[in-house]
Amino acid sequence: MTSNKLHLVQLQHPKNGRAIAMVKEPNLVLIDGFTSVYDLALTAIENEDSIQSIVQSKLSNDTLDYDSIYKGNSDWKLLPSFDHPEDPLKCMVSGTGLTHHNSALNRQMMHQSEKTTPTDSIKIYEWGVQGGFPKKGEIGVQPEWFYKGNGTVLKGHGDSLEIPAYADDGGEEPELAGIYVVDKNGRPWRIGLSVANEFSDHVMEKKNYLYLAPSKIRQCAIGPEIVIDADFSEYTGEVSIIRNEKILWQSPIKTGGTNMCHSLENLEYHHFKYASHRIPFQAHVHFFGADAFSFGNQIVLEQDDTMTVAWNGLGRPLQTKLNQVTDKEKMISVKSIK
C-alpha cells in the first residue's frame, strides 16, 4: 500500500546534535524548533494542534541527502524513529505475541509434544480469534503480553543487534511498532507506526515456553521512519537475511488488523489498562507481533548477517546487523549494604 501520511526521522550529528526531519524523497527537510518526535507530539497535544500542521509551520530551508545518510556515508546518523530524548528509563518497550496465525504455528512447533494436542500458544491464539475483535466500546479477550526493556534497548537503522554472552541465540522478528506518549493527565496518545525488528532469543524460548519472558529481554530496532497517524488495517512486506552480500533467506510478510486475531483497539486497551503504563510523560514502543521469521525455517544467524524488514507504505526498509558477543558469560555479584 502507498502512504501519503507524514513520515519523520530522528537524526544525530557529532557537532550539531539531535534533529528531526520530514521525509521528502530523495531528501530530508530539517524541522526547526524540535529535536525529537517525543517533544513534537507533546507540543501538539498541549496546544490541541496536529503534528502535521506544526511540522509545516516549522519546516526549514535546509535539506539533507537521504541516500547518503541511509547508507551510512554521512556525518548525520539515523536514530531510532522514536525515543525519550532525555531519559531512556521513561520509555517502556513491550510487545504482544501470538497475534498472527503463523506465529502461533511456529510456537506450536517449538513446544508440541503430541501432534494432536494443541499447546497453550494455540489456545491463546484461538481465544484471540474468538474474542479479539469486540464490538466498539466493549473489552475483548486479553492477548499475550511481554516486556522487552526500557529505552536503552532501542536501536536504529544501520545499528547492530547484540546476542549477549548469556543468550542462546538471536533472531529477527519483522513487525510493526506502535509509538505512544502519555500526556500530563495520564492519557495515552498514539503518534504513529514504525517498521520494527523485535529480535529475540528463540532457542531459549524453545527450551520451555516459560522462558518466553527472559528470551524477550533483548535489544530491538525501529525505524528509519515513523509514519504519523498511520492506518493499521493491512500491510504487506518482506523480511530477508543477507550473508556475505547474498540473500540467505527471505519471506513475504503480512500484518495489520485484517491479518491479526486482535483489533488495534483491543491490543491498546490491554496494554494501557495498567495504571503503571499511564504515567504522565511516559513514552511507549509496543510491538504487535510477527508473521514470519527465519528461525521457523531452521536458519541460524551468524556474525554480521544483515536483517532487513520492509513494510510497503511505511518508508524505507530497516536494516540491522547481528553482533555475536564473544566474551564468556560473567557472574554479576550483588553486594549487601551494611
Side-chain angles (χ1 to χ4, degrees), residues 102-117:
N102 284 345
S103 66
L105 290 179
N106 279 319
R107 192 87 66 83
Q108 170 89 348
M109 289 187 289
M110 280 188 195
H111 303 126
Q112 189 176 50
S113 57
E114 297 179 18
K115 290 186 177 181
T116 57
T117 305

Side-chain angles (χ1 to χ4, degrees), residues 61-314:
N61 294 319
D62 299 321
T63 61
L64 304 172
D65 177 58
Y66 195 0
D67 280 340
S68 61
I69 298 172
Y70 182 81
K71 295 174 182 177
N73 298 324
S74 169
D75 288 339
W76 286 98
K77 182 185 183 303
L78 286 162
L79 295 172
S81 55
F82 178 77
D83 60 2
H84 192 294
E86 297 174 358
D87 188 353
L89 300 184
K90 293 179 181 177
C91 179
M92 175 180 286
V93 185
S94 57
T96 305
L98 301 174
T99 52
H100 296 71
H101 187 240
N102 284 345
S103 66
L105 290 179
N106 279 319
R107 192 87 66 83
Q108 170 89 348
M109 289 187 289
M110 280 188 195
H111 303 126
Q112 189 176 50
S113 57
E114 297 179 18
K115 290 186 177 181
T116 57
T117 305
T119 62
D120 288 342
S121 297
I122 287 293
K123 291 177 182 177
I124 288 182
Y125 172 77
E126 290 297 336
W127 291 347
V129 171
Q130 296 165 16
F133 277 83
K135 295 179 181 178
K136 189 173 180 60
E138 296 183 1
I139 296 171
V141 69
Q142 178 171 268
E144 178 190 69
W145 184 95
F146 57 84
Y147 174 72
K148 285 199 69 69
N150 55 48
T152 60
V153 304
L154 284 176
K155 301 296 179 180
H157 170 79
D159 288 339
S160 293
L161 294 178
E162 180 181 281
I163 301 179
Y166 52 78
D168 294 322
D169 189 32
E172 88 295 337
E173 293 207 17
E175 305 190 19
L176 295 184
I179 308 301
Y180 303 87
V181 68
V182 181
D183 68 18
K184 64 182 180 182
N185 299 313
R187 180 175 181 175
W189 293 76
R190 185 190 327 116
I191 303 171
L193 300 175
S194 184
V195 179
N197 180 355
E198 191 246 301
F199 194 73
S200 59
D201 188 338
H202 301 105
V203 172
M204 178 177 287
E205 178 189 346
K206 188 175 181 178
K207 289 179 177 178
N208 188 305
Y209 73 93
L210 296 178
Y211 277 158
L212 174 72
S215 78
K216 292 293 187 181
I217 304 177
R218 299 290 187 273
Q219 294 177 342
C220 54
I222 58 172
E225 303 169 24
I226 176 174
V227 183
I228 305 303
D229 189 32
D231 177 69
F232 191 73
S233 60
E234 183 172 24
Y235 289 94
T236 59
E238 186 174 79
V239 56
S240 63
I241 304 298
I242 300 172
R243 180 176 297 168
N244 298 324
E245 300 183 354
K246 296 181 180 180
I247 295 177
L248 175 70
W249 173 88
Q250 62 183 359
S251 175
I253 45 179
K254 296 179 181 179
T255 194
T258 59
N259 296 294
M260 296 168 63
C261 64
H262 288 269
S263 67
L264 177 61
E265 292 76 12
N266 195 51
L267 296 175
E268 290 176 336
Y269 165 74
H270 285 291
H271 177 67
F272 287 108
K273 67 184 180 183
Y274 304 106
S276 61
H277 295 187
R278 301 193 310 276
I279 298 172
F281 306 116
Q282 193 176 43
H284 288 260
V285 175
H286 191 74
F287 295 90
F288 291 123
D291 176 58
F293 47 89
S294 62
F295 182 80
N297 291 113
Q298 292 75 53
I299 301 295
V300 178
L301 300 191
E302 298 179 358
Q303 178 70 22
D304 294 328
D305 282 353
T306 297
M307 301 164 278
T308 301
V309 181
W311 291 111
N312 298 319
L314 291 179

